[in-house]
Amino acid sequence: MAYTNEQIDALVRDDSVHKSVYTDPDLYQLEMERIYGHAWIYVGHDSQVPNAGDFYATRIGDQDVIMVRANDKKVYVLYNRCPHRGAKLVPDGCGNTGKFFRCPYHAWTFKLDGAHLAAPMKSGFEGTCFDPKHPDFSMRQLARVESYRGFVFASQAAQGDDLKSFLGGVITSIDNLCDRSPVGEVEVAGGVFKVWQNSNWKVFYENLHDTMHAQVTHESSVVAARDQAKEMGEMPLELHIMDGNGEPYSFWEKLDLCAYDNGHGYMEGIFNPGAAERDPVTRAHFEVLEQAWGRERALEILGMNRHNTIIYGSGSPHTVFQQFRVIRPVAVDRTMIEIQTFRLKGAPEAVFKRSLMYANVINSPSSNVMADDVEVYKRCQDGNLTHGGDWISLHRYLGTDRVVPGGMISTNGTSELPMRNQFRAWKQYMLATKTEAVHAA
Ligand code: FES
Ligand SMILES: [Fe+2]
């Protein structure tokens, strides 16, 4: 159905949302236009395309795009479409296209910034209005591309906030991720995991700050970790991380959930960095940071104990374990999660190995922990297709969250503030009024 603004407005209440936001393909299509067609969306990290001709083909919403490094060292983001008959220029994934793109269909070629280079058998165009200089005969660039510390974002809208203003309060998570390197730089390394989820994309964002689910949904992996630790007579970090979900409600209640404009936010940490100081990997890491920045700054950098950050529409960077879980909607009931792991340039290799371990234990397709979540996401998708009810409750701790400059902070870490915050942004995008702040004045 075609939705009026009034109908969209009625789907999101202060304390609940209508289930059709997860199940209606027409609303999903509208999201692709109004959210993914406007917001800054993370494309990839520039370390994925270090040399001229390197490309990474991915998606922004329902659009196939290519991030490519050109001869001038600049990174461009282009639609993955040949202007002749529309064929995708490169397959999904990464590679090097050489000095130019060459279409696999009729061999039109394009410079690395997308400009038309040549079409074979030129004489065939004589007497026509074919003009190789006209933009219709070049690959099209996305309207805006900006990079922050190597993280490349693109927007399909010609106008709007710049990237820094869009990111607002969560830019500090990208900073902390990079500052953990003694030279302040990171690179994607170790490949990219992909996890298919048979559920709507928004469910994953909500789950990232859903502290009430941890000990319930993850009971089986918590029990497995505890059994294993008992058998081993110790609890190594791998099991400690799995066991973390088993903390009682009283633990989660004390965490701060920070919600910012545009649906973004982060959760203040779970794993205690004080305890980690006793571990040799963290100690070695601390030493290289201390050498680079001095003791006080090194303590500050490693002391930032932040768990999942949400960049709404893009995914979730994790500062402590150096990863970015990129969330790519594929259909109303299908979502692809790409897990990128980062090496901190100049840091001990053991820190990178620990990041890989975290990705394996928590996020990979073979993770015991992720399997718990994927199962409940699918159950939400299926349950919401029944006639068993129409509304989804987001009542927990409504009205108690504190307003701070640029956003809000929960007074209780089990608050459903993050979900309410995400849907406030969702509504603004979908009503095409996405210029005002989402937090209360
Ligand atoms: S479709 Fe690309 S050259 Fe024909
Ligand atoms: Fe979970």
Side-chain angles (χ1 to χ4, degrees):
M1 70 181 247
Y3 281 86
T4 63
N5 272 2
E6 210 175 8
Q7 287 165 322
I8 291 173
D9 193 49
L11 296 172
V12 178
R13 301 171 177 165
D14 286 347
D15 55 13
S16 44
V17 293
H18 193 270
K19 66 178 184 179
S20 58
V21 303
Y22 303 99
T23 56
D24 184 344
D26 292 334
L27 275 175
Y28 175 81
Q29 209 41 56
L30 218 50
E31 290 175 340
M32 294 302 106
E33 289 164 27
R34 297 191 179 172
I35 300 179
Y36 286 87
H38 284 87
W40 285 104
I41 304 294
Y42 177 60
V43 185
H45 192 266
D46 67 9
S47 62
Q48 293 175 281
V49 289
N51 304 308
D54 285 350
F55 70 83
Y56 177 61
T58 181
R59 281 161 71 91
I60 290 184
D62 57 356
Q63 300 294 305
D64 284 297
V65 301
I66 309 169
M67 175 172 76
V68 60
R69 176 88 62 176
N71 292 321
D72 60 3
K73 297 272 175 248
K74 265 180 76 177
V75 172
Y76 292 87
V77 182
L78 310 165
Y79 290 98
N80 193 353
R81 175 186 184 270
C82 172
H84 180 213
R85 296 281 173 79
K88 273 168 73 168
L89 266 303
V90 295
D92 296 342
C94 54
N96 185 290
T97 188
K99 292 193 182 345
F100 49 82
F101 291 106
R102 180 177 181 273
C103 182
Y105 204 178
H106 312 96
W108 285 25
T109 52
F110 306 91
K111 292 182 190 165
L112 296 175
D113 64 1
H116 186 96
L117 191 57
M121 305 284 282
K122 275 200 177 60
S123 55
F125 296 115
E126 276 169 22
T128 75
C129 53
F130 175 82
D131 173 6
K133 290 201 172 55
H134 191 282
D136 278 358
F137 302 103
S138 288
M139 293 169 70
R140 188 176 290 172
Q141 296 181 5
L142 271 83
R144 291 182 296 158
V145 178
E146 278 191 45
S147 164
Y148 185 73
R149 299 192 74 164
F151 292 80
V152 179
F153 289 75
S155 165
Q156 297 191 71
Q159 315 233 304
D161 289 346
D162 62 20
L163 177 61
K164 271 190 177 179
S165 322
F166 169 80
L167 290 171
V170 292
I171 207 164
T172 51
S173 292
I174 295 182
D175 281 331
N176 185 250
L177 202 166
C178 298
D179 290 345
R180 285 169 180 258
S181 149
V183 295
E185 287 177 22
V186 300
E187 60 185 352
V188 174
V192 175
F193 279 130
K194 291 188 177 183
V195 179
W196 285 101
Q197 299 181 349
N198 291 319
S199 45
N200 186 267
W201 61 278
K202 296 186 291 298
V203 175
F204 191 46
Y205 282 101
E206 293 160 28
N207 178 264
L208 285 163
H209 287 179
D210 186 325
T211 57
M212 287 298 288
H213 89 288
Q215 60 171 312
V216 185
T217 304
H218 295 294
E219 187 181 0
S220 65
S221 50
V222 167
V223 169
R226 288 179 184 170
D227 285 352
Q228 180 73 24
K230 210 164 164 190
E231 218 171 278
M232 293 171 73
E234 59 171 337
M235 186 170 277
L237 188 59
E238 289 89 331
L239 298 180
H240 176 63
I241 288 169
M242 282 173 73
D243 180 55
N245 279 319
E247 296 285 359
Y249 291 132
S250 56
F251 169 86
W252 303 102
E253 285 189 289
K254 290 190 205 103
L255 297 179
D256 275 346
L257 299 172
C258 305
Y260 291 105
D261 294 347
N262 300 319
H264 309 325
Y266 55 75
M267 180 195 293
E268 293 291 3
I270 293 179
F271 303 105
N272 178 0
E277 267 168 32
R278 293 192 292 274
D279 125 77
V281 176
T282 307
R283 216 167 36 236
H285 189 185
F286 178 79
E287 277 163 20
V288 296
L289 288 182
E290 187 181 25
Q291 245 173 20
W293 313 120
R295 183 176 170 76
E296 207 169 303
R297 179 75 183 119
L299 279 172
E300 192 181 18
I301 290 168
L302 290 190
M304 188 189 271
N305 183 18
R306 196 168 279 184
H307 195 45
N308 298 329
T309 290
I310 288 171
I311 302 180
Y312 195 59
S314 288
S316 177
H318 197 294
T319 57
V320 176
F321 291 105
Q322 296 96 48
Q323 62 166 223
F324 199 137
R325 277 187 281 171
V326 186
I327 302 171
R328 310 269 190 218
V330 176
V332 69
D333 56 357
R334 200 144 162 81
T335 305
M336 161 75 86
I337 311 298
E338 285 182 12
I339 300 117
Q340 302 181 345
T341 313
F342 294 86
R343 177 184 276 122
L344 303 169
K345 288 189 186 171
E349 192 62 6
V351 177
F352 176 57
K353 291 222 168 98
R354 194 169 60 186
S355 299
L356 291 179
M357 178 274 290
Y358 183 79
N360 272 302
V361 170
I362 299 290
N363 316 125
S364 79
S366 58
S367 152
N368 289 332
V369 179
M370 178 56 78
D372 299 333
D373 291 311
V374 170
E375 168 68 17
V376 289
Y377 302 162
K378 172 77 171 118
R379 290 202 192 195
C380 290
Q381 197 69 31
D382 291 348
N384 279 322
L385 286 170
T386 73
H387 298 303
D390 293 330
W391 290 91
I392 280 147
S393 160
L394 303 176
H395 291 81
R396 186 173 286 280
Y397 285 102
L398 173 71
T400 67
D401 310 307
R402 284 180 294 128
V403 176
V404 295
M408 297 175 89
I409 300 183
S410 61
T411 49
N412 186 296
T414 65
S415 172
E416 284 170 335
L417 164 67
M419 302 79 177
R420 293 190 291 266
N421 186 52
Q422 287 164 29
F423 275 105
R424 275 197 291 271
W426 185 90
K427 193 166 173 174
Q428 286 191 315
Y429 279 119
M430 295 294 275
L431 293 174
T433 58
K434 188 74 212 83
T435 46
E436 306 147 19
V438 293
H439 59 90

